[in-house]
Amino acid sequence: AERLADVADQRIEQLRTRLDVAVRPFRDGDFDELVAGWHACNRASHPYVAEHQRHTLDDARTFFRDRVLAECRVWVAESMVADAPQPLLGLAALAPGWIRQMAVFGDQQRRGIGTLLLRETLAASPDGVQLHTFQRNTAARAFYERHGFRAEAF
């Protein structure tokens, strides 16, 4: 089992290098860009959730500041390419035992960035994590199932 963990760690490091992406803790200076990307991602990913569609960017800022940052450890996926047009690529927010938020922004999806963010949350949660995703969010469900999660209820 330890050998498999070493192989997995090597593959994750190769993925980071290939993508030229770093995952790091949230910094105060990330706030505006990160929340704008997160808000846009939520609206695009959940067109069937009226509440997400009603939220304004100001609503998202308030929620992120008062709930996400107050209750969670937050990691940011950041492009390491100089002068990248979109330096922040996604985020993961972890409350004890729960992934509360996970988002990879727009055209950055399906490149391995979510895997890097998920790996960070799992490393910080030796007792495991739970999460919620909408049943209709088939892309998210497929992503989590590829990483060993299983649906417990619908």
Side-chain angles (χ1 to χ4, degrees), residues 4-150:
L4 288 175
D6 291 342
V7 170
D9 287 343
Q10 290 172 352
R11 288 187 178 159
I12 291 296
E13 194 52 44
Q14 290 169 349
L15 181 60
R16 282 181 199 194
T17 301
R18 180 176 55 82
L19 292 174
D20 213 2
V21 170
V23 175
R24 60 166 176 78
F26 170 85
R27 297 181 197 138
D28 289 340
D30 298 331
F31 186 84
D32 288 332
E33 181 183 345
L34 193 68
V35 173
W38 173 71
H39 177 62
C41 186
N42 277 338
R43 289 177 56 102
S45 298
H46 306 108
Y48 44 83
V49 180
E51 190 68 22
H52 283 297
Q53 300 309 310
R54 280 193 296 271
H55 285 170
T56 65
L57 182 54
D58 284 338
D59 294 336
R61 286 184 185 113
T62 299
F63 182 86
F64 201 87
R65 181 181 52 252
D66 295 349
R67 299 287 302 279
V68 176
L69 291 177
E71 299 171 6
C72 301
R73 291 177 61 188
V74 178
W75 290 272
V76 175
E78 178 179 38
S79 173
M80 301 311 295
V81 176
D83 299 321
Q86 182 183 1
L88 302 184
L89 310 173
L91 69 97
L94 179 70
W98 281 88
I99 296 174
R100 293 290 184 197
Q101 303 290 328
M102 174 82 82
V104 176
F105 306 152
D107 63 353
Q108 301 302 315
Q109 294 178 359
R110 294 176 182 77
R111 295 183 48 225
I113 295 166
T115 297
L116 296 176
L117 287 163
L118 180 61
R119 181 79 173 183
E120 202 70 34
T121 64
L122 295 175
S125 305
D127 294 328
V129 296
Q130 296 180 35
L131 58 91
H132 166 85
T133 190
F134 290 102
Q135 183 176 358
R136 292 172 66 178
N137 192 345
T138 55
R141 288 180 46 213
F143 168 80
Y144 291 118
E145 288 169 5
R146 276 194 312 275
H147 288 87
F149 287 81
R150 64 178 176 77

